[in-house]
Amino acid sequence: MAIHIKDAHEIELMRESCRLLSVVHYELGQIIRPGISTADIDEYGEKLIRDMGCIPNFLNYNGYPASICVSVNDEVVHGIPKKTRILQEGDIVSLDAGLIYKGYHSDAARTYGVGEISPEARQLIEVTKASFFAGIKKAKAGMRLFDISAAIDDYVTPYGYGIVEDLCGHGIGTHLHEDPMIPNYRVRRRGPRLKPGMTLAIEPMINMGTWAVKWLDDDWTVVTGDGEYSAHYENTILITGSEPEILTLHEEERKELQEEIYV
């Protein structure tokens, strides 16, 4: 496993890539409503990215045909946007997006409720988000990578939710996916020691029911094995000499999180 440690210049490029992505996500969050198509979300997201002078890193990645992964209800990740897929009141929708700024990638995901959603769906979204923050309490230099995984698992398991095992977080930098791979569930090993300069995409994917998933015939869309809802929350973070730095948080999100005592 070759984990690339970023130098000061690379870290500044990563910070800017992630800052720009945080703006994209914030703006996308403002348009989520009943009646909008998933293709509308993708088109707006790609325009935002290109207007910043950046490149959408998901577009054509291993053949993926869009810039924003838009996954609705039981779709875990990699939902393909369509003009015919219209968001309805009560849906939940996960947006996974990234961009390239001066050769450096960023990656983040958010799950939103569409209009009024059920208390059960709201709890799933909140627990998924909170599990990320539980995990990064262990994202400190000197600790072990899979301590993050165990902390996410420990937070989620009491709720009876399924933690997706077929997909995981990853390192990120000049490539969208770099070493190391980061499970969201407890594993036997503790993994490599964390060092300042590591940049990681931590992304819990949590299902209301079973942990099991399956791929649709489009070879991209991953859905829950039982048709229950799934939520996704992801940020790119930097390991520092002290607390981890969350690079993809928008300033408005940071204010909200401080009120919720996450950060």
Side-chain angles (χ1 to χ4, degrees):
M1 183 184 293
I3 304 174
H4 178 59
I5 305 297
K6 279 71 175 181
D7 62 26
H9 176 64
E10 290 178 299
I11 288 170
E12 285 310 308
L13 292 172
M14 287 291 296
R15 281 198 179 105
E16 183 61 9
S17 179
C18 291
R19 185 192 70 80
L20 293 170
L21 180 59
S22 78
V23 174
V24 172
H25 264 293
Y26 182 78
E27 294 298 329
L28 286 174
Q30 304 308 300
I31 69 167
I32 300 301
R33 64 182 186 278
I36 193 171
S37 78
T38 57
D40 292 334
I41 297 169
D42 176 60
E43 289 168 10
Y44 184 50
E46 180 171 350
K47 184 177 187 304
L48 287 169
I49 291 169
R50 294 197 185 279
D51 285 351
M52 292 171 168
C54 298
I55 300 167
N57 53 8
F58 290 3
L59 183 61
N60 298 320
Y61 182 78
N62 291 335
Y64 184 75
S67 298
I68 313 294
C69 295
V70 188
S71 306
V72 183
N73 295 338
D74 66 329
E75 296 171 352
V76 181
V77 286
H78 306 158
I80 297 175
K82 298 180 179 67
K83 279 290 185 187
T84 55
R85 188 68 186 272
I86 307 299
L87 297 186
Q88 307 291 329
E89 185 91 12
D91 287 343
I92 66 172
V93 58
S94 298
L95 308 183
D96 192 358
L99 59 80
I100 307 170
Y101 169 79
K102 295 187 177 180
Y104 284 80
H105 291 255
S106 50
D107 191 6
R110 303 286 185 267
T111 300
Y112 299 99
V114 181
E116 291 296 322
I117 63 174
S118 70
E120 293 79 11
R122 178 63 58 195
Q123 178 178 275
L124 176 68
I125 294 171
E126 291 173 352
V127 169
T128 302
K129 179 178 177 180
S131 73
F132 165 87
F133 289 96
I136 67 165
K137 288 179 181 177
K138 303 295 185 180
K140 298 178 182 179
M143 299 195 75
R144 299 283 186 173
L145 180 71
F146 299 149
D147 292 343
I148 299 172
S149 309
I152 292 171
D153 191 319
D154 288 347
Y155 189 90
V156 172
T157 296
Y159 290 91
Y161 295 147
I163 302 171
V164 175
E165 297 185 8
D166 294 66
L167 303 150
C168 61
H170 51 91
I172 185 170
T174 53
H175 296 84
L176 176 57
H177 295 106
E178 299 181 352
D179 284 338
M181 296 295 103
I182 310 164
N184 295 304
Y185 55 91
R186 183 180 291 277
V187 294
R188 287 182 178 275
R189 305 176 311 282
R190 293 189 66 199
R193 201 170 293 279
L194 298 173
K195 298 178 182 179
M198 289 181 176
T199 46
L200 309 172
I202 310 295
E203 51 176 320
M205 290 158 274
I206 310 300
N207 299 342
M208 194 175 285
T210 179
W211 62 269
V213 298
K214 57 186 178 183
W215 272 254
L216 297 186
D217 290 342
D218 61 22
D219 292 328
W220 276 108
T221 309
V222 181
V223 299
T224 60
D226 55 8
E228 294 282 357
Y229 281 7
S230 183
H232 186 195
Y233 186 84
E234 175 185 20
N235 282 300
T236 298
I237 71 166
L238 169 69
I239 304 299
T240 73
S242 55
E243 297 296 319
E245 183 178 343
I246 307 173
L247 302 178
T248 45
L249 272 186
H250 189 272
E251 58 185 23
E252 291 300 321
E253 289 182 297
R254 198 174 297 277
K255 290 176 187 175
E256 293 173 6
L257 291 168
Q258 286 171 340
E259 293 174 1
E260 297 169 11
I261 325 178
Y262 283 132
V263 295

